[in-house]
Amino acid sequence: MEMWSSALFLLVGLSPAVVFLLQLPDYTATQEGLWQDYKHGHQGPDSPGKRPFCSWKCLLLSLQWPGAFCQSVDKETLCKIPLSINNWTIHGLWPQKVGRCCSCWPMFESDVQELDPELNEHWPSLLKSQPSFHFWKQEWEKHGVCAACVEGMNSPLRYFQISLKLRGQLDIQRLLEDAGINPSCERPYKLGEVQSVLTPHLGDKHEVQCVTDDQGREVWFQVKIPISRNLTVGCDHHGDPEAQDSLQGHPCPPQVPFYYLPIDHEAPRRPCG
Ligand SMILES: *[C@@H]1O[C@H](CO)[C@@H](O)[C@H](O)[C@H]1NC(C)=O
Ligand SMILES: *[C@@H]1O[C@H](CO)[C@@H](O)[C@H](O)[C@H]1NC(C)=O
């Protein structure tokens, strides 16, 4: 709460006392009211600071490459790449907000049951310890609830449907394939090379993210794609990105070629032996 209010203070330049007054309603009196707003896609009164979790301008769609996912988590973390997973998968769809979403909207398995086959294919958990539903629920609670104040994403079902739809529109693997950029143990790629293929489709603000593997190589594991509130690709607002997750990614360095590793289901941490 402390960090949150100073972030908000910086953002809107209000005195801490005012911020304190403004933030009270979000967590106490009007939770039920907020939930009703969410449910009906209302955006509520437009006073800045009153509903910071709905004042975001951009979303980030984060897609991960299973070929390097295991290198992006701690050694001790047990990852798994199910045999059926051979393509870029969704990590999340994140409103670029300040602070937490309210904990006013729980999610149950039945909420997304009809999407199970698609979610399992495109949004699987790649951690052994985490069932896929737990992953989805966590993403919903941390990010989806904040997205739900926008009509069209105002339920778990709709939020996951929109995410799947965006993923379907952005078939990175095919774009790369068509440009001759294929997973390889031998051939590293330059950032410019990859960006020239992706930019026309993902906008020039997308971020290509790498991790450094055991052997000190840069390996490509994620792409973050800015999406506007109206769900078109590209968004210029330089929001207030927070630490989104515990993964150790960084922007792939422009000078150092990086690897786009093949997926090895048997040895996901060491796809190249
Ligand atoms: C990856 O998924 C897209 C659909 O999003 C599909 O068009 C493409 O063929 C898939 N590629 C592979 C190698 O499965
Ligand atoms: C979506 O929003 C962006 C940024 O606000 C704007 O530039 C664009 O024209 C909008 N597109 C549509 C289809 O409304």
Side-chain angles (χ1 to χ4, degrees):
M1 192 61 106
E2 187 56 41
M3 277 175 55
W4 185 78
S5 52
S6 25
L8 186 63
F9 168 58
L10 288 175
L11 180 74
V12 298
L14 296 172
S15 83
V18 175
V19 171
F20 181 66
L21 288 176
L22 289 173
Q23 80 192 14
L24 269 178
D26 291 340
Y27 294 100
T28 53
T30 62
Q31 289 247 317
E32 174 60 21
L34 286 176
W35 190 77
Q36 289 298 329
D37 280 352
Y38 279 154
K39 219 164 95 176
H40 298 106
H42 300 154
Q43 293 185 23
D46 229 353
S47 58
K50 179 145 191 255
R51 302 185 56 195
F53 52 82
C54 199
S55 62
W56 52 269
K57 300 283 186 295
C58 302
L59 298 142
L60 277 184
L61 175 67
S62 183
L63 301 178
Q64 58 193 9
W65 176 242
F69 176 82
C70 294
Q71 289 87 326
S72 76
V73 293
D74 291 340
K75 262 200 184 66
E76 306 76 48
T77 314
L78 295 171
C79 62
K80 53 152 201 256
I81 313 297
L83 279 175
S84 58
I85 304 302
N86 291 292
N87 216 326
W88 286 80
T89 61
I90 301 171
H91 181 181
L93 180 64
W94 305 325
Q96 294 301 284
K97 63 195 163 38
V98 177
R100 301 172 303 169
C101 309
C102 74
S103 51
C104 54
W105 200 331
M107 170 176 161
F108 301 95
E109 285 189 69
S110 55
D111 289 332
V112 293
Q113 206 159 23
E114 67 189 80
L115 297 178
D116 262 7
E118 279 178 276
L119 288 173
N120 278 314
E121 179 179 352
H122 297 297
W123 202 329
S125 164
L126 302 178
L127 294 176
K128 270 187 189 160
S129 58
Q130 187 183 45
S132 285
F133 176 72
H134 288 193
F135 183 29
W136 308 333
K137 185 174 155 66
Q138 173 190 303
E139 289 292 320
W140 166 256
E141 286 170 356
K142 209 165 150 197
H143 308 284
V145 173
C146 283
C149 57
V150 172
E151 191 172 9
M153 290 191 280
N154 58 338
S155 73
L157 182 65
R158 291 181 186 172
Y159 171 73
F160 286 98
Q161 269 170 337
I162 292 279
S163 305
L164 288 166
K165 195 168 154 200
L166 288 169
R167 159 69 184 77
Q169 286 167 3
L170 304 172
D171 188 354
I172 295 185
Q173 188 154 329
R174 224 196 46 225
L175 295 173
L176 294 167
E177 227 170 76
D178 291 351
I181 298 181
N182 294 302
S184 166
C185 288
E186 283 85 41
R187 170 156 171 14
Y189 294 96
K190 293 203 191 82
L191 180 61
E193 208 174 345
V194 165
Q195 283 184 328
S196 69
V197 175
L198 297 182
T199 298
H201 306 274
L202 309 186
D204 58 5
K205 299 284 191 297
H206 74 271
E207 188 175 302
V208 174
Q209 290 195 307
C210 282
V211 288
T212 310
D213 77 359
D214 292 347
Q215 299 161 50
R217 296 179 304 189
E218 292 296 315
V219 300
W220 183 15
F221 86 111
Q222 188 155 260
V223 182
K224 287 184 177 171
I225 305 158
I227 308 280
S228 294
R229 206 166 154 119
N230 62 17
L231 302 178
T232 55
V233 172
C235 191
D236 274 341
H237 180 74
H238 293 283
D240 310 275
E242 48 177 333
Q244 293 285 5
D245 45 59
S246 55
L247 302 176
Q248 307 144 3
H250 50 254
C252 295
Q255 311 304 345
V256 185
F258 54 83
Y259 287 85
Y260 177 30
L261 296 175
I263 298 174
D264 184 330
H265 300 93
E266 269 77 54
R269 272 194 83 87
R270 305 201 130 257
C272 299

